[in-house]
Amino acid sequence: MRILIMTCVVKRSLLSCLLLLLVLPIHRAMSAEQEPVTLTVLNWDDYLDPELVRAFEGRFKVNVNQVFYESDDHRDELMAASQGKGYDVLIVSGLMVDIYRKQGWLQKKPAFENDDVLSVKWLDAFASTQEYMVPYFWGTLGIAYRSDLITTPITQWAQFFNPNEELAGKIALINNSRDVVGMALKSQGHSANTNNPAHIQQAKELLVKLGPHIKSINYIDFDENSAMLSGEIVASMMYSGDTLMLQELSDDIHYVLPEEGGNIWVDYIGVAASSKQKDLAWEFINFLNEPKNAAQLAQYIFYATPNTAAEKLLPKDFTDNRVIYPSAKALDNSEYYQALKARTHNRYNRAFSQLKLQFKLNENTE
């Protein structure tokens, strides 16, 4: 640098030298290898195949960073706290898509290369999904139980919410107010979407009675350390694909979509309005929907794909699996969640909060 300055003073004007010195660091920065772009995905844990992530990173020379949420409520809290900023790709439950749109958190979907391979049924299942997001996976909410530890098979929510001695103290619930209150309502013959205060009160009273029989209000482990494998939990409210992860470890895990019906859920994937990498984010979503990749992803996470071209590539034992693809009859009484009135939403939350409070009190007295 010293030699450069001396040469400059001799051969050029002082102004020229100063300009050269200002440009030099910029030139060095531009000539250096640029840092890869980072794409941030807001997602459930283990809801993307790492092999596919690495393949995308290699193809587009980018880094994919995942931020995990523990529940739908946790995801909504993260989005609200950041005002929808800090993420590029969002995986969102169908019920929340229209709410996210109204908050201005979603970018409108551009022309999408693999749109023609996606089932119209799932494209239109919830408000605003067709215009803003792409269906990712779908499944059901039912009951998983240890068939070797009970004498009477579970076929109804009524058995779950009014447990006999075999289930007492060995029940697990999901940490989600809509799921718990919704299925309690269905066990009593009501809709999981009811706005009737009397029905919600009945469900609340049922949950209060259930309190002492609950072992856990959380998403239980799905590996060798699972409380269902040890027998600490005999029956759990569970999503269909999660059950399959446990069934790989034990033939004694059984899944049922109860006679009263369950919840049919659909997750969607889209791009945050605040993203600075919108084109790349849509490339990522398109990459996941290339039929071969979509089929690989379905087999990794054990859920039903809305990608009709990918379904043709799946093995028969996958598409014939009634946990993944329930029969039409099994789905007869099941429901999509619908948006609730604000007052009703608060009633659901209060019922669930009282149950959690009672559960903590029971834990502390044991």
Side-chain angles (χ1 to χ4, degrees):
M1 183 64 73
R2 185 178 298 171
I3 294 171
L4 175 62
I5 293 174
M6 291 176 64
T7 304
C8 188
V9 170
V10 172
K11 296 186 176 180
R12 306 184 184 191
S13 68
L14 181 59
L15 179 60
S16 297
C17 290
L18 290 173
L19 289 172
L20 181 61
L21 290 172
L22 287 171
V23 170
L24 185 62
I26 298 173
H27 173 74
R28 284 179 177 173
M30 291 178 65
S31 62
E33 186 177 348
Q34 292 183 346
E35 288 289 323
V37 171
T38 296
L39 198 68
T40 299
V41 182
L42 183 61
N43 192 12
W44 292 98
D45 188 13
D46 208 26
Y47 207 26
L48 273 172
D49 182 349
E51 185 177 314
L52 288 174
V53 172
R54 288 191 294 270
F56 178 81
E57 289 175 326
R59 184 189 296 185
F60 289 88
K61 309 304 178 188
V62 300
N63 290 328
V64 175
N65 171 53
Q66 295 189 69
V67 176
F68 299 123
Y69 49 83
E70 299 172 356
S71 67
D72 287 331
D73 291 341
H74 183 212
R75 180 201 60 229
D76 299 342
E77 290 167 4
L78 290 173
M79 289 294 290
S82 67
Q83 297 182 338
K85 298 176 182 177
Y87 310 107
D88 300 299
V89 177
L90 307 173
I91 295 178
V92 181
S93 58
L95 182 64
M96 296 305 296
V97 172
D98 197 48
I99 294 173
Y100 277 34
R101 175 193 66 81
K102 291 174 181 177
Q103 291 290 337
W105 292 343
L106 299 177
Q107 190 211 15
K108 205 164 187 178
K109 185 174 69 176
F112 187 65
E113 184 178 336
N114 282 307
D115 223 9
D116 60 334
V117 301
L118 297 172
S119 170
V120 174
K121 176 180 180 179
W122 306 119
L123 282 169
D124 292 332
F126 295 88
S128 297
T129 52
Q130 176 74 268
E131 292 182 279
Y132 285 86
M133 302 195 86
V134 174
Y136 188 59
F137 282 100
W138 70 273
T140 59
L141 173 67
I143 302 168
Y145 66 91
R146 285 283 299 270
S147 59
D148 59 322
L149 297 181
I150 61 174
T151 55
T152 304
I154 298 174
T155 60
Q156 301 176 339
W157 283 115
Q159 293 170 268
F160 184 85
F161 286 102
N162 297 281
N164 59 22
E165 290 183 5
E166 294 178 319
L167 301 179
K170 297 181 179 181
I171 284 177
L173 301 176
I174 286 174
N175 187 18
N176 183 290
S177 59
R178 193 67 192 272
D179 286 336
V180 172
V181 179
M183 296 309 103
L185 284 162
K186 291 194 75 64
S187 77
Q188 297 174 316
H190 307 309
S191 168
N193 297 302
T194 185
N195 285 288
N196 187 317
H199 293 169
I200 301 169
Q201 180 61 30
Q202 289 172 15
K204 183 178 179 180
E205 293 169 1
L206 178 65
L207 292 174
V208 169
K209 288 174 59 179
L210 179 68
H213 304 297
I214 298 171
K215 179 69 176 178
S216 170
I217 303 179
N218 213 330
Y219 297 92
I220 65 175
D221 292 332
F222 306 116
D223 55 20
E224 293 83 356
N225 300 316
S226 176
M228 283 205 76
L229 296 182
S230 68
E232 293 176 73
I233 292 172
V234 174
S236 176
M237 180 180 290
M238 195 173 292
Y239 299 121
S240 50
D242 294 341
T243 303
L244 285 164
M245 295 174 71
L246 285 174
Q247 287 181 335
E248 283 202 322
L249 301 172
S250 171
D251 294 333
D252 295 322
I253 304 293
H254 188 76
Y255 179 80
V256 61
L257 196 54
E259 293 172 8
E260 303 98 328
N263 166 237
I264 305 172
W265 58 263
V266 189
D267 280 341
Y268 291 82
I269 186 168
V271 175
S274 62
S275 171
K276 296 179 181 178
Q277 309 291 341
K278 290 184 177 69
D279 289 343
L280 181 62
W282 283 113
E283 286 283 6
F284 181 66
I285 295 170
N286 191 63
F287 172 83
L288 294 178
N289 275 284
E290 292 175 12
K292 182 180 177 182
N293 293 342
Q296 178 177 327
L297 185 55
Q299 292 175 89
Y300 178 80
I301 63 173
F302 297 115
Y303 279 121
T305 176
N307 189 310
T308 56
E311 280 185 331
K312 296 174 183 177
L313 303 177
L314 290 167
K316 193 172 186 298
D317 62 348
F318 188 92
T319 54
D320 285 350
N321 190 315
R322 290 308 183 192
V323 176
I324 303 172
Y325 289 95
S327 67
K329 183 178 180 181
L331 292 173
D332 273 349
N333 295 321
S334 296
E335 301 175 85
Y336 298 113
Y337 289 146
Q338 299 171 6
L340 300 171
K341 297 176 182 178
R343 185 173 295 179
T344 301
H345 184 73
N346 290 335
R347 287 192 177 106
Y348 277 56
N349 285 342
R350 284 199 298 271
F352 187 56
S353 295
Q354 183 169 333
L355 171 66
K356 292 178 77 173
L357 178 61
Q358 182 187 357
F359 173 68
K360 288 181 180 179
L361 290 174
N362 290 341
E363 276 191 316
N364 293 335
T365 56
E366 289 179 357

